[in-house]
Amino acid sequence: MKIPNNPFFGTHYIGKEERKAVNKVMKSKSLFRYQGPDLLYFTDKFEESMKKYLNVKYVLACSNGGAALKLSCIALGIGVGDEVLVPSFTFIASASSILSTGAIPKFIDIDETMNVDPKSIEKNISDRTKAIMVVHMQGAPANMKEIMKIAKKHNLKVIEDTAQALGAELNGKKVGTFGDCGAFSLQAGKTITCGEGGFFATNNKELYIRAKMYHDNGGYRLGSDYPTWENKKTFFGENFKLTEIQSAIALEQLKKIDKIIDKQEKIYQFIINKIDINYYKIRPFVKGAKTFKMSLGIIFETEEKCQDFIKFMNTNGIGFNTYCSNLIDKYDTFKYKHSWHKSGFPYSITDYVPTKCKAAEDLFRRVAWFNLSSELKKRHLKYIVSKLEEYKNEQTA
Ligand SMILES: Cc1ncc(COP(=O)(O)O)c(C=O)c1O
């Protein structure tokens, strides 16, 4: 049996609603969010709906999750000479958004939740540390209660990289809304999608204004007016704006988000409720977490046991594997301080301090992941459960 294991969630829900919305934008000939012959304001509508969904004061749509992370850094005034703590178990964009401001990432460790280990934060704070970039990996909330306590104690800003966890909650509060700002992605592999896209969320008006200016080439824009760069607050920026077509799709996807999340939960629970969780050690979640179930992570005692399990599952057509990319501090770009510029910017200004992320290195090799594709049907799930049982029985016979 061929078992789906693609990492697409919202993607599989693209249907007539999204097509209709795109057609509306095409008919209006108004693809730019701020001006057009018959502007339909889909980007404004998406931001309004997302504000309500997250229960947050400000949302700014932007071109992608990496851009939302950079906007978070810029809004918080992070730049040359600063250090930002970020877990080594993440996607490269977390670190490159920091580097692109002239600041340097300092990699910190994770625990079995596969998210930031709060203990690793205090160990790595230096007088350069300005912020912590928390990453809610694979839909699971990090321990925000502890992290916020530590941040407050050391006067550090908190950015939540929520690219992989839109819809996840901690004690009823959406992740991405605990820290100073949250960055989200609308890329094809995320909870909801418009192909590429992202957004920035905050409760702080000043941060919102700074992010909005930077995403609009640094200018200050009122309504649909041409922006101005002639007031004290404006600076230079980049163009990170989202188009009306993308926003129209994202808005339709947002209407489906509860359905998407519920389906993932059902898929996950079906497996968990039918396997021996005394034998299989499932990736734990922090207390009070409502996780977006994009994957199933199983922790093995050793790398060998993990590989043996993966081999068995793969032979049976089930795509368990170790995580799809390496720990990012292992990339040459950090090991050898690669830069696009001959000066070695920004490493030439602030030293990159390699750290030892011991738990991440160990866990990385011992966790088998399986993408819980929203295409998984009951027959697939029954088959997966039967193979998990078969493997357990073989090992315990
Ligand atoms: C943890 C994490 N951060 C940031 C990003 C960047 O998002 P985008 O691809 O929308 O730029 C991703 C995307 O995969 C991600 O997984």
Side-chain angles (χ1 to χ4, degrees), residues 64-67 69 90-91 93-94 135 137 161 163-164 185-187 190 196-197:
N64 56 65
L69 285 168
T90 184
F91 179 61
S94 315
V135 189
M137 280 300 273
D161 180 342
Q164 299 188 3
S185 170
L186 297 167
Q187 181 265 346
K190 304 304 189 291
E196 295 276 12

Side-chain angles (χ1 to χ4, degrees), residues 2-3 24 33 85 112 173 297 351 377 389 396:
K2 179 109 185 69
I3 306 296
K24 269 192 199 165
R33 75 165 292 184
L85 304 181
E112 282 192 344
K173 187 173 157 81
D351 208 18
K377 302 274 183 299
E389 274 304 285
T396 51

Side-chain angles (χ1 to χ4, degrees), residues 103-128:
I104 296 283
K106 188 172 188 185
F107 295 109
I108 58 172
D109 219 337
I110 58 169
D111 56 27
E112 282 192 344
T113 65
M114 303 307 283
N115 282 326
V116 174
D117 178 354
K119 290 197 285 299
S120 181
I121 298 173
E122 281 192 305
K123 272 193 233 155
N124 284 290
I125 294 172
S126 76
D127 51 8
R128 287 209 169 107

Side-chain angles (χ1 to χ4, degrees), residues 52-262:
K52 287 195 189 104
Y53 179 73
L54 293 176
N55 192 20
V56 76
K57 284 191 187 144
Y58 305 96
V59 165
L60 176 74
C62 62
S63 48
N64 56 65
L69 285 168
K70 180 162 182 179
L71 292 173
S72 304
C73 294
I74 299 284
L76 290 167
I78 290 164
V80 172
D82 297 331
E83 235 171 43
V84 178
L85 304 181
V86 61
S88 61
F89 183 56
T90 184
F91 179 61
I92 183 84
S94 315
S96 39
S97 67
I98 298 165
L99 286 160
S100 71
T101 68
I104 296 283
K106 188 172 188 185
F107 295 109
I108 58 172
D109 219 337
I110 58 169
D111 56 27
E112 282 192 344
T113 65
M114 303 307 283
N115 282 326
V116 174
D117 178 354
K119 290 197 285 299
S120 181
I121 298 173
E122 281 192 305
K123 272 193 233 155
N124 284 290
I125 294 172
S126 76
D127 51 8
R128 287 209 169 107
T129 312
K130 186 109 183 214
I132 311 163
M133 185 181 283
V134 180
V135 189
H136 304 290
M137 280 300 273
Q138 291 289 292
N143 188 345
M144 292 312 294
K145 199 172 155 203
E146 279 304 305
I147 293 166
M148 293 309 291
K149 243 195 253 168
I150 297 168
K152 201 166 168 205
K153 183 172 155 200
H154 296 276
N155 197 22
L156 299 176
K157 302 294 181 194
V158 176
I159 299 167
E160 291 179 73
D161 180 342
T162 320
Q164 299 188 3
L166 171 62
E169 296 174 10
L170 256 180
N171 300 313
K173 187 173 157 81
K174 294 274 185 317
V175 294
T177 67
F178 285 83
D180 293 277
C181 40
F184 298 78
S185 170
L186 297 167
Q187 181 265 346
K190 304 304 189 291
T191 316
I192 61 169
T193 184
C194 55
E196 295 276 12
F199 56 96
F200 161 93
T202 184
N203 281 309
N204 182 318
K205 188 174 181 186
E206 188 63 25
L207 298 185
Y208 168 72
I209 291 171
R210 286 170 62 87
K212 185 165 184 260
M213 287 197 299
Y214 194 89
H215 110 299
D216 199 7
N217 292 301
Y220 184 78
R221 190 193 291 265
L222 262 183
S224 289
D225 291 352
Y226 193 74
T228 176
W229 285 264
E230 292 174 61
N231 78 40
K232 276 192 200 151
K233 287 198 166 173
T234 56
F235 34 65
F236 65 87
E238 294 177 73
N239 179 6
F240 288 165
K241 296 192 283 295
L242 196 67
T243 68
E244 283 287 282
I245 291 186
Q246 290 165 300
S247 300
I249 299 170
L251 184 61
E252 289 308 319
Q253 287 263 297
L254 182 53
K255 293 177 192 165
K256 301 177 181 179
I257 195 165
D258 290 341
K259 204 168 142 192
I260 296 170
I261 291 172
D262 285 354

